[in-house]
Amino acid sequence: MMELIRGYYAGERYTAILAMGIGAVLLLLALVLWRTSSGVSLARGMVHVFLVAGLFQIVAGFGYSMVVNRRVHEAEQIYSGHTEHEIKQQEIARMSRVVKSGYRGGLVAYTALILLGIALLLLSIDVPARKGVALALLIVGVLGHCVEAFSMQANRQYLKVVETRLII
């Protein structure tokens, strides 16, 4: 079971690296848009959102990778004296909680960005910079939903593998 748990945390590390990569791409995109756009424009409006979102993704990804590293060591210590059956039961309980409610905060935040982007888009008919902010909010919100969906699917798959694993 421990090799399965280590594999799970390796996947979580990859998710953190993905978040940092997305953040780096957003920062690069913000830089390119800033350098290639003129004064008040759609592109300049997008720059601010991409800059904030990129920094957030990098910091959050790095922070999560540190948490994952700590958790894998804690799991190894906690499970060191347990039987395979006990580890399986504890992992099923832990992952059931994660699958049930672990994504609420992210989904609410990214949905709020999408709704804010739509509202701002509707209120910004003749203001290109605000249209850029709205478009960038929509992009970041949809991108966030995609990452959350990827994470939810990976966690559901891991839970299924743990539940069906035969203990000899």
Side-chain angles (χ1 to χ4, degrees), residues 16-126:
I17 291 168
L18 174 66
M20 290 187 285
I22 289 170
V25 168
L26 289 172
L27 287 178
L28 182 62
L29 188 56
L31 177 67
V32 168
L33 289 173
W34 180 263
R35 309 262 287 145
T36 60
S37 64
S38 62
V40 178
S41 65
L42 183 114
R44 279 285 168 102
M46 295 174 79
V47 166
H48 304 290
V49 174
F50 287 157
L51 180 64
V52 170
L55 289 172
F56 175 78
Q57 288 292 329
I58 288 172
V59 170
F62 181 75
Y64 188 59
S65 71
M66 300 304 286
V67 168
V68 167
N69 288 336
R70 181 178 44 83
R71 285 184 183 166
V72 73
H73 293 300
E74 288 174 356
E76 288 173 346
Q77 290 174 348
I78 290 169
Y79 293 150
S80 66
H82 290 77
T83 66
E84 291 284 309
H85 180 72
E86 292 170 334
I87 295 171
K88 177 181 176 177
Q89 295 308 313
Q90 289 179 17
E91 275 298 287
I92 289 171
R94 183 181 74 80
M95 288 308 297
S96 293
R97 288 188 304 274
V98 168
V99 167
K100 184 177 178 184
S101 64
Y103 308 99
R104 227 176 263 146
L107 292 175
V108 167
Y110 290 124
T111 300
L113 290 177
I114 291 170
L115 294 175
L116 182 61
I118 291 170
L120 192 57
L121 190 62
L122 294 174
L123 297 172
S124 304
I125 301 302
D126 295 328

Side-chain angles (χ1 to χ4, degrees), residues 141-160:
V142 169
L143 191 58
H145 268 279
C146 291
V147 171
E148 289 295 319
F150 170 77
S151 180
M152 287 190 307
Q153 183 62 30
N155 284 329
R156 285 188 181 116
Q157 182 63 32
Y158 172 71
L159 177 58
K160 185 178 178 181

